Amino acid sequence: MTTATLSSPKIKMSVIGPIVALVVLIIMGALMNPNFLSAGNISNVLSRSAFIGIIAVGMTFVITAGGLDLSVGSMAAFIAGLMILVMNTALPVMGIGIPIVLLGMAVALAAGLFAGLLNGVLITRLGMDAFIVTLGSMGIYRSLVTWLADGGTLSLDFSLRTFYQPVYYGGIFGISWPIIVFTIVVICGELLMRSTAFGRHCAAIGSNDQVARYSSVRVARVRMLTYVMLGILVGIATIMYVPRLGSASSATGLLWELEAIAAVIVGGTALKGGFGRVWGTVIGVLILTLIGNILNLTDLVSPYLNGAIQGAIIILAVVLQRGRKPGQ
């Protein structure tokens, strides 16, 4: 009875901590700028959160299973560039319409699947370290998109971009499509993590892969699937991102990996694996997006320091995790 009583507050704090931080940020933003809680700003924050949020859901599974992926930002840039290149090339033949948009979406999903599968094969089949593999692929994808753009920017045909823009700016009942897609991804991710054998296997592998292997868990297969899932989600995020600017360059997706990893860790997922929370990742994404939004709306700190603040948040979150028991 004494042990349960003493451990209960820790469990509660690990759950409500990110929520409290989010509420504090909302209050601070509202006090600092009256436009913070405006409908336009809220919609903008949620729409911008969707890109990183979709990727972060996949990153939650990768980290829970004891992995890591540093290539997601560069991967998104390469997928966006490839998608734009294919759509522009097919435009004279297919014309402007739904088929060419579907072609672009198919290219993005296929490229994301292949990129995730490649990372997964190198890590699980060849036994290479996830940090080294994804660090290398990060450089490869960033170089490839720079090469495709010939050192400049790949731009979607103006008429095609105009036709494609509703995928980002449109929606139903006043809710934009990126927010709707993000919500669906989160619901599916939470159900997958909490209610399926796959989610339990991810946690078991991240906790102790040898014990998981002795328990008949197909460790290599599960880990590979986490990278494939992440690659597909990067493709989905790119599909929603391309119509926003209609272009891709070497700067596209810069630091997205930092934001995704930060959101996952801030949301309560253990960096060393063994425990993950998809809903916590959503809170983490909102916290990081609101920090950037507050910096843009106020003169408190230069918005150029957003990356530094996110890095500091990652370090602080890991420090706070050191004393936490698995599963808390």
Side-chain angles (χ1 to χ4, degrees):
M1 178 66 71
T2 304
T3 303
T5 302
L6 291 175
S7 62
S8 178
K10 292 183 179 180
I11 296 175
K12 290 181 179 179
M13 280 306 299
S14 69
V15 173
I16 69 172
I19 300 175
V20 171
L22 179 61
V23 172
V24 170
L25 274 175
I26 293 174
I27 294 173
M28 286 177 57
L31 293 175
M32 291 179 180
N33 193 306
N35 294 322
F36 179 78
L37 292 179
S38 66
N41 188 58
I42 292 174
S43 178
N44 180 55
V45 167
L46 293 178
S47 295
R48 287 173 177 263
S49 299
F51 306 126
I52 299 300
I54 291 170
I55 295 172
V57 170
M59 189 71 76
T60 303
F61 285 87
V62 170
I63 293 179
T64 299
L68 188 67
D69 195 333
L70 301 175
S71 68
V72 292
S74 300
M75 188 188 300
F78 171 69
I79 293 173
L82 184 62
M83 184 180 176
I84 290 171
L85 193 62
V86 170
M87 293 176 74
N88 283 343
T89 303
L91 182 59
V93 177
M94 300 183 68
I96 297 174
I98 294 177
I100 196 170
V101 172
L102 293 178
L103 173 64
M105 291 179 176
V107 168
L109 292 176
L113 187 152
F114 178 78
L117 180 63
L118 182 60
N119 282 342
V121 168
L122 292 175
I123 293 167
T124 62
R125 300 302 180 186
L126 299 185
M128 299 176 66
D129 184 81
F131 179 86
I132 299 300
V133 170
T134 58
L135 182 64
S137 57
M138 176 178 69
I140 292 172
Y141 295 135
R142 189 68 66 184
S143 296
L144 284 175
V145 72
T146 304
W147 172 68
L148 289 175
D150 196 22
T153 301
L154 284 167
S155 298
L156 198 60
D157 178 87
F158 181 78
S159 299
L160 184 53
R161 177 189 171 189
T162 303
F163 181 81
Y164 191 12
Q165 277 184 337
V167 172
Y168 175 78
Y169 293 101
I172 53 175
F173 305 116
I175 304 174
S176 68
W177 287 117
I179 298 174
I180 294 172
V181 173
F182 179 32
T183 302
I184 294 172
V185 169
V186 168
I187 293 173
C188 292
E190 182 66 23
L191 290 175
L192 195 61
M193 181 68 80
R194 294 287 161 228
S195 305
T196 67
F198 178 75
R200 293 190 293 271
H201 289 171
C202 287
I205 293 169
S207 181
N208 192 315
D209 60 349
Q210 289 297 331
V211 172
R213 192 171 282 108
Y214 294 148
S215 302
S216 300
V217 175
R218 302 178 68 175
V219 175
R221 181 182 179 184
V222 172
R223 271 188 174 150
M224 182 181 294
L225 286 175
T226 61
Y227 286 98
V228 171
M229 179 194 301
L230 178 55
I232 293 173
L233 290 177
V234 171
I236 292 174
T238 305
I239 288 172
M240 310 307 299
Y241 178 81
V242 167
R244 176 172 174 258
L245 298 177
S247 62
S249 68
S250 59
T252 300
L254 198 62
L255 295 182
W256 279 15
E257 58 279 340
L258 174 64
E259 294 182 52
I261 293 171
V264 173
I265 304 306
V266 169
T269 295
L271 181 59
K272 293 183 177 181
F275 178 75
R277 281 199 297 245
V278 172
W279 68 263
T281 294
V282 177
I283 301 297
V285 169
L286 293 176
I287 287 174
L288 294 176
T289 306
L290 285 178
I291 289 174
N293 184 247
I294 290 173
L295 293 180
N296 288 328
L297 292 177
T298 65
D299 296 326
L300 185 63
V301 180
S302 171
Y304 295 115
L305 291 175
N306 193 25
I309 293 174
Q310 290 174 353
I313 289 174
I314 292 178
I315 295 173
L316 178 61
V318 173
V319 170
L320 294 176
Q321 283 187 5
R322 293 182 63 184
R324 192 182 72 180
K325 296 179 181 180
Q328 288 185 342

